[in-house]
Amino acid sequence: MDDAAVDRACEMIGRARKVVVFGCGREGLQIRGLAMRLFHLGRDVAVVGDMTAPAIGPGDLFVMTVGPGENSTALALLQVAKNAGATILVLTAQPTGRAAAFADSTLVIPAQTMADDQGPTASAVLPMGSLYEGMLLIVFEVMIAKLRALLGVSP
């Protein structure tokens, strides 16, 4: 992975007034874990779909994971965030997918997803997006370690 891109993502999170996160399915479970860790660091964070999720706007960061590059829910939410003036960080394995076009910054997770788990492009024994989802956990924990140092938060 591009360590400089991970650092840029951490800087975006550190600068944001508020961070709002979203992912579908099992990616959603992983990004909820990131939200909890950001809360532990004292960040103002919310998960799209939770009853207490606030509106998003300028100064806020929308973090979306969409490994396969696009789905209708992701594209609709990205448009809402863009229209509201939020900064957008997209995590994906498909940087040429339609979701990345909305991003102010893209963090590429080089792992198999449902977009490439069949035929000659299949690279993992794990089904569908399992490899990508596992990579998210690792990347998020690395990001939290970097953010802890960046924000000066003690263990």
Side-chain angles (χ1 to χ4, degrees):
M1 283 192 63
D2 180 358
D3 197 46
V6 175
D7 288 342
R8 279 191 303 276
C10 291
E11 290 165 5
M12 292 173 80
I13 291 169
R15 282 193 311 265
R17 180 177 64 111
K18 172 175 49 203
V19 178
V20 178
V21 303
F22 179 79
C24 286
R26 290 168 33 134
E27 290 180 53
L29 296 174
Q30 295 297 354
I31 206 156
R32 287 171 93 68
L34 174 65
M36 178 178 256
R37 291 284 192 239
L38 292 174
F39 177 78
H40 292 158
L41 289 177
R43 306 303 300 153
D44 186 356
V45 61
V47 178
V48 171
D50 284 355
M51 292 175 70
T52 57
I56 194 168
D60 298 333
L61 177 65
F62 184 49
V63 181
M64 156 95 51
T65 174
V66 58
E70 62 188 77
N71 65 51
S72 59
T73 302
L75 296 175
L77 290 170
L78 287 163
Q79 187 64 62
V80 169
K82 181 69 87 182
N83 291 346
T87 302
I88 298 173
L89 170 63
V90 170
L91 290 82
T92 186
Q94 305 291 330
T96 60
R98 293 193 308 173
F102 286 89
D104 294 289
S105 186
T106 303
L107 181 56
V108 178
I109 312 290
Q112 178 179 288
T113 69
M114 292 182 297
D116 55 4
D117 72 335
Q118 302 290 312
T121 60
S123 62
V125 175
L126 299 172
M128 300 184 294
S130 293
L131 188 58
Y132 180 84
E133 295 147 10
M135 287 292 297
L136 281 178
L137 172 65
I138 294 166
V139 170
F140 289 158
E141 290 302 318
V142 167
M143 288 174 69
I144 292 302
K146 287 177 176 265
L147 276 162
R148 191 179 65 75
L150 181 70
L151 299 172
V153 178
S154 72

